[in-house]
């Protein structure tokens, strides 16, 4: 599966993920789709997604499956997507076992999902990646619209929901999404893919405090030391490898 910056091969996963972090850092806090979108009326829910921060900014209550935002069907679809984007191999853990779903669910069920701190009053004109969010939908609405429309497209063209397709068929669909070749009820599939990929990389390499990067295994894989406040022991080292376990914010 080709992600925006190149395929994550077994031998280059570290460099690939580091490149992904660099790309994410350039776009800042807000996800930045490639082009502005004003989806058709069918793509924009009548109301904002029910999951979101409460009146006092508290997170949405957990659903019956322990998720704040994702429904059961959405969990199945996202699990299949993440498993294809960052599969487990001998280099390191996959995105699913690293907790990427938990990270994305918390983000969509909070201020990020509701675009609570963004300017969302329009007008909605085509912009550049450096101009921030150029979409009438919130991130939560992009995911909700995208998941539903994608499954409908897969059933209509492949006879099965995305999660039920074979891995090669899933890769084919993700490649079409990345290239903007699928119409998701008026939402560009490239916009949905870009947002999804950014959030998957963020969840894979975030501090475990936010639900992803379980056990800090992704940090160990790329040699990142985490939130270590003191590296005094390394000052006098000359040409020696400094071995140190990563430390999380909540440690």
């Amino acid at each position: 599966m080709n992600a925006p910056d190149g395929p994550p091969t077994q031998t280059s996963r570290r460099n690939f993920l580091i490149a992904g972090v660099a790309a994410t850092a350039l776009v800042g806090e807000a996800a930045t789709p490639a082009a502005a979108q004003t989806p058709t009326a069918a793509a924009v829910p009548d109301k904002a997604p029910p999951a979101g921060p409460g009146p006092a900014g508290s997170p949405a209550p957990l659903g019956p499956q322990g998720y704040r935002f994702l429904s059961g069907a959405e969990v199945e679809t996202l699990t299949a997507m993440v498993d294809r984007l960052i599969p487990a191999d001998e280099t390191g853990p996959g995105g699913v076992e690293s907790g990427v779903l938990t990270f994305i669910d918390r983000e969509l069920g909070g201020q990020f999902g509701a675009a609570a701190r963004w300017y969302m009053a329009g007008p909605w004109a085509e912009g550049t990646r450096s101009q921030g969010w150029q979409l009438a939908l919130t991130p939560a609405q992009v995911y909700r619209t995208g998941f539903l429309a994608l499954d409908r497209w897969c059933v209509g063209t492949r006879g099965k929901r995305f999660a039920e397709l074979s891995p090669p068929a899933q890769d084919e669909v993700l490649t079409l999404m990345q290239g903007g070749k699928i119409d998701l009820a008026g939402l560009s599939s490239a916009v949905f893919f870009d947002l999804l990929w950014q959030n998957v990389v963020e969840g894979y390499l975030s501090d475990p405090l936010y639900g992803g990067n379980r056990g800090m295994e992704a940090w160990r894989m790329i040699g990142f030391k985490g939130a270590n406040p003191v590296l005094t022991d390394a000052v006098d080292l000359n040409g020696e490898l400094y071995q140190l376990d990563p430390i999380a914010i909540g440690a």
Side-chain angles (χ1 to χ4, degrees):
M1 172 56 230
N2 292 336
D5 295 312
T9 63
Q10 292 183 344
T11 58
S12 62
R13 178 187 287 202
R14 294 191 184 201
N15 293 336
F16 178 66
L17 289 170
I18 291 173
V21 174
T24 299
L26 289 176
V27 299
E29 178 185 2
T32 54
Q37 294 280 316
T38 304
T40 60
V44 183
D46 293 334
K47 297 180 181 179
S58 58
L62 297 179
Q65 293 182 315
Y67 290 96
R68 292 175 178 166
F69 176 84
L70 297 169
S71 68
E74 290 168 344
V75 168
E76 293 176 355
T77 301
L78 184 58
T79 298
M81 287 177 156
V82 172
D83 193 47
R84 299 311 303 156
L85 291 172
I86 305 184
D89 58 25
E90 67 277 6
T91 307
V96 174
E97 56 265 39
S98 293
V100 168
L101 268 74
T102 299
F103 172 87
I104 291 178
D105 177 70
R106 291 181 182 179
E107 290 295 293
L108 294 178
Q111 292 188 352
F112 170 79
R117 298 183 180 183
W118 302 358
Y119 177 82
M120 293 291 292
W124 306 109
E126 184 173 348
T128 66
R129 294 182 67 89
S130 64
Q131 292 177 316
W133 189 258
Q134 299 290 321
L135 196 62
L137 300 179
T138 66
Q141 290 171 326
V142 169
Y143 271 89
R144 186 129 290 162
T145 299
F147 282 140
L148 180 60
L150 178 64
D151 268 348
R152 287 176 175 173
W153 184 89
C154 286
V155 170
T157 62
R158 302 295 192 272
K160 298 179 180 179
R161 295 175 53 240
F162 181 84
E164 299 170 341
L165 298 174
S166 66
Q170 290 174 347
D171 288 347
E172 179 187 0
V173 172
L174 287 171
T175 300
L176 291 173
M177 284 182 60
Q178 181 185 354
K181 303 293 182 60
I182 300 176
D183 179 17
L184 301 177
L187 172 69
S188 166
S189 61
V191 168
F192 183 28
F193 183 91
D194 285 350
L195 178 61
L196 169 67
W197 174 244
Q198 175 183 326
N199 294 158
V200 167
V201 173
E202 289 170 342
Y204 192 71
L205 295 171
S206 68
D207 190 281
L209 176 69
Y210 302 104
N213 189 19
R214 290 174 181 164
M216 299 178 284
E217 292 301 321
W219 284 357
R220 290 188 173 89
M221 183 182 71
I222 65 174
F224 180 60
K225 305 306 179 185
N228 277 284
V230 179
L231 300 175
T232 306
D233 294 341
V235 172
D236 295 328
L237 294 180
N238 185 14
E240 301 177 50
L241 179 63
Y242 184 43
Q243 298 285 3
L244 184 68
D245 285 335
I247 296 178
I249 293 175

